[in-house]
Amino acid sequence: MKKKIGIIGAGISGLLACKHTMEKGFEPIVFEARSDIGGVWNQTIQSTKLQVPKFYYQFTDFPWPSSVQETFPDHKQVLEYLRAYAQHFNIVPRIKFNTRVKSIDYVNSSSEYEDMVGMELWGGTGFAFSPAGKWEVSFQDARDPSSPLQVYQMDFVIICIGKYSDLPNLPKFPVNKGPEVFSGKVLHAQDYAAMDDDRAADFVRDKLVTVVGFQKSAVDIAAEVAARNGVQHPCTMVFRTVHWLITESVMLLFLKGLNRFSELSIHKPTEGFFSWLLASLLSPMMWIFITLIEWYLGWKFPLKKLNMVPTHGLLKQIYICMVSNVPRNFFNNVEKGSIILKKSGTFTFCKDGVILEGEHNHIPTDIVIFATGYRSDDKIKNLFKSTYFQKCIIGSSTPFFRNEKHVGSTFSHRKIQATKHKPYGSRSN
């Protein structure tokens, strides 16, 4: 009998996993909570676009169509590209849309967890599929929270739910100093992104908006609000840490400079003497390269004037994959006054706005948008019914591989070879 593979999520990883397992002769079923494919590309703000050139963000066996001339396509073009991929490889019939997975659990026909001898082994035996274990995937109609649960048994499960959706990371506030005392509206960037373009425009039009955060979602939303409201209703950004924002041209330079050769200049764990010597000799070249780019960004944008020079080096952001492209005219809007930057360790709410740490006067606000990220570890942990597997997620040093997690008939961190075809790069939001 063909092995049944459960794939949770129909974003890029889910589509790729489905295609790969079909080619291997398995029987995949993709569970997708939305009514369409694309994941975060299907639900995002109007200005979202690729942060990397399209030729770094494509499937090796399905190039971008010639009609897409832009080097950095917008989210609608990316979504159409993914739809074409899914149609071309006949993936769509394998997808159960509007199906929300509530939990997954491991069941063993012999004794519970009997075959979990070694966590480093597929199926506890060295093979991907256990002769006794199955995964039970419980799901329901995403459009009706009261609908009954259904259960499918799978031989293998691939979790492709991503890190940037569903479970917002919201700060906690003291009693009577949180959103409950605020007369305006409070939402997360996820909720703002879920609005269509016209509704989002109406929502913020002629309103005083405060955006919390300084990562990509925050600067994109602030730039979008500023473009709609201008200096008459400026958008305020409240954040703890300044991050480097780079231009598309600098991103192109990065991708040319940060190659296999440049990796030789980086010290690595358990490196041998020759690797250590080579990295020691070449590391000054990397430092010069990054320093020149930091100098260029300081020259191009009024970072010193605005007190917006990050205290950390650009290389640190590169190492943790947190480099973001700056929205068009972002710093021009700051200088004009349509974006107001406020650095603060903490803040609290009052009836008519927010109060920054150490200040007495409040910032008048109608809408507060938290662009404060997501609780990605909790999101994947909550999928598992068993506390045994939940503990495997929390505290693990490698819970994700390019936002993709695979669980066989027992839990495993080994990576499926399908990832070699995954498009490189990242979305901008």
Side-chain angles (χ1 to χ4, degrees):
M1 294 179 62
K2 287 187 177 181
K3 297 294 185 181
K4 293 183 178 180
I5 311 295
I7 301 169
I8 306 176
I12 291 180
S13 293
L15 298 176
L16 174 62
C18 184
K19 171 183 175 291
H20 180 77
T21 51
M22 287 169 61
E23 290 176 341
K24 294 297 181 181
F26 299 121
E27 192 173 308
I29 299 177
V30 183
F31 302 91
E32 171 53 51
R34 298 190 179 106
S35 59
D36 198 359
I37 67 169
V40 292
W41 289 110
N42 194 276
Q43 184 175 293
T44 188
I45 67 174
Q46 185 178 16
S47 58
T48 301
K49 59 191 298 190
L50 276 179
Q51 288 199 94
V52 296
K54 63 184 180 184
F55 40 84
Y56 285 99
Y57 196 92
Q58 68 177 349
F59 299 99
T60 55
D61 52 0
F62 193 76
W64 282 86
S66 58
S67 58
V68 179
Q69 298 293 318
E70 295 83 357
T71 304
F72 296 86
D74 63 35
H75 68 95
K76 293 181 180 179
Q77 293 170 307
V78 175
L79 183 58
E80 287 304 313
Y81 173 60
L82 297 180
R83 286 171 176 163
Y85 176 85
Q87 291 288 346
H88 180 77
F89 292 106
N90 201 32
I91 296 171
V92 177
R94 296 284 182 172
I95 304 174
K96 290 179 66 67
F97 291 108
N98 300 307
T99 303
R100 183 175 300 280
V101 173
K102 303 298 290 185
S103 67
I104 60 176
D105 195 30
Y106 179 76
V107 293
N108 192 329
S109 59
S110 52
S111 64
E112 189 175 20
Y113 309 136
E114 182 184 75
D115 53 1
M116 294 182 184
V117 179
M119 288 294 291
E120 74 281 2
L121 299 176
W122 282 111
T125 61
F127 297 95
F129 304 101
S130 166
K134 299 284 186 180
W135 284 94
E136 286 190 344
V137 179
S138 301
F139 60 92
Q140 68 178 169
D141 190 331
R143 297 162 296 186
D144 183 8
S146 63
S147 60
L149 283 177
Q150 300 182 58
V151 179
Y152 281 2
Q153 276 202 350
M154 298 290 169
D155 297 288
F156 198 87
V157 175
I158 307 176
I159 301 175
C160 305
I161 57 177
K163 298 177 65 176
Y164 304 112
S165 63
D166 294 335
L167 199 59
N169 179 39
L170 296 171
K172 295 181 179 180
F173 295 90
V175 178
N176 295 325
K177 291 186 177 181
E180 70 276 6
V181 302
F182 180 51
S183 61
K185 297 181 179 179
V186 179
L187 67 160
H188 190 268
Q190 172 180 262
D191 304 309
Y192 180 77
M195 303 178 188
D196 60 49
D197 296 344
D198 292 337
R199 185 184 168 203
D202 291 338
F203 182 72
V204 300
R205 184 173 288 116
D206 298 333
K207 298 292 195 302
L208 294 173
V209 179
T210 294
V211 178
V212 182
F214 201 78
Q215 294 288 1
K216 185 56 178 172
S217 292
V219 295
D220 274 357
I221 293 173
E224 191 169 289
V225 173
R228 288 168 175 164
N229 288 348
V231 296
Q232 293 79 14
H233 297 86
C235 177
T236 302
M237 293 189 71
V238 177
F239 52 91
R240 289 179 176 176
T241 306
V242 179
H243 297 283
W244 290 99
L245 298 174
I246 66 174
T247 63
E248 292 180 353
S249 59
V250 168
M251 176 60 75
L252 286 168
L253 182 63
F254 266 146
L255 295 175
K256 291 179 180 179
L258 300 180
N259 48 36
R260 293 295 184 186
F261 176 77
S262 64
E263 286 185 7
L264 298 175
S265 66
I266 300 173
H267 289 285
K268 305 171 183 64
T270 67
E271 62 186 358
F273 174 76
F274 180 75
S275 296
W276 171 86
L277 180 62
L278 196 59
S280 299
L281 294 174
L282 294 177
S283 56
M285 295 176 59
M286 174 67 77
W287 179 84
I288 292 172
F289 176 67
I290 296 299
T291 301
L292 287 174
I293 291 178
E294 291 178 357
W295 175 87
Y296 169 76
L297 294 173
W299 169 79
K300 184 173 180 61
F301 302 126
L303 300 184
K304 286 187 178 180
K305 177 182 175 181
L306 299 172
N307 194 26
M308 292 293 290
V309 179
T311 56
H312 59 270
L314 179 57
L315 194 58
K316 180 179 179 180
Q317 282 185 223
I318 296 172
Y319 283 160
I320 60 175
C321 299
M322 295 298 289
V323 179
S324 302
N325 289 348
V326 62
R328 183 173 298 177
N329 297 323
F330 179 82
F331 285 106
N332 288 340
N333 287 327
V334 173
E335 290 192 297
K336 287 191 303 184
S338 55
I339 296 177
I340 299 173
L341 303 175
K342 294 286 187 179
K343 185 177 180 181
S344 177
T346 60
F347 73 94
T348 55
F349 284 87
C350 64
K351 184 177 184 297
D352 299 319
V354 297
I355 303 173
L356 304 186
E357 181 181 21
E359 296 189 8
H360 299 288
N361 297 326
H362 72 281
I363 299 173
T365 303
D366 299 309
I367 300 170
V368 174
I369 302 176
F370 285 103
T372 46
Y374 298 86
R375 292 156 49 201
S376 54
D377 280 357
D378 285 337
K379 178 182 173 181
I380 190 172
K381 182 203 75 172
N382 293 343
L383 271 180
F384 292 92
K385 185 178 292 186
S386 167
T387 56
Y388 176 87
F389 293 111
Q390 291 178 358
K391 291 177 181 178
C392 292
I393 295 296
I394 297 302
S396 171
S397 60
T398 55
F400 285 100
F401 181 71
R402 292 189 178 277
N403 302 349
E404 196 166 307
K405 176 56 119 188
H406 318 285
V407 288
S409 291
T410 60
F411 201 83
S412 175
H413 290 307
R414 185 176 295 188
K415 284 74 177 178
I416 194 168
Q417 290 300 309
T419 52
K420 68 182 180 181
H421 293 302
K422 185 173 181 183
Y424 287 83
S426 62
R427 63 190 287 274
S428 74
N429 194 28

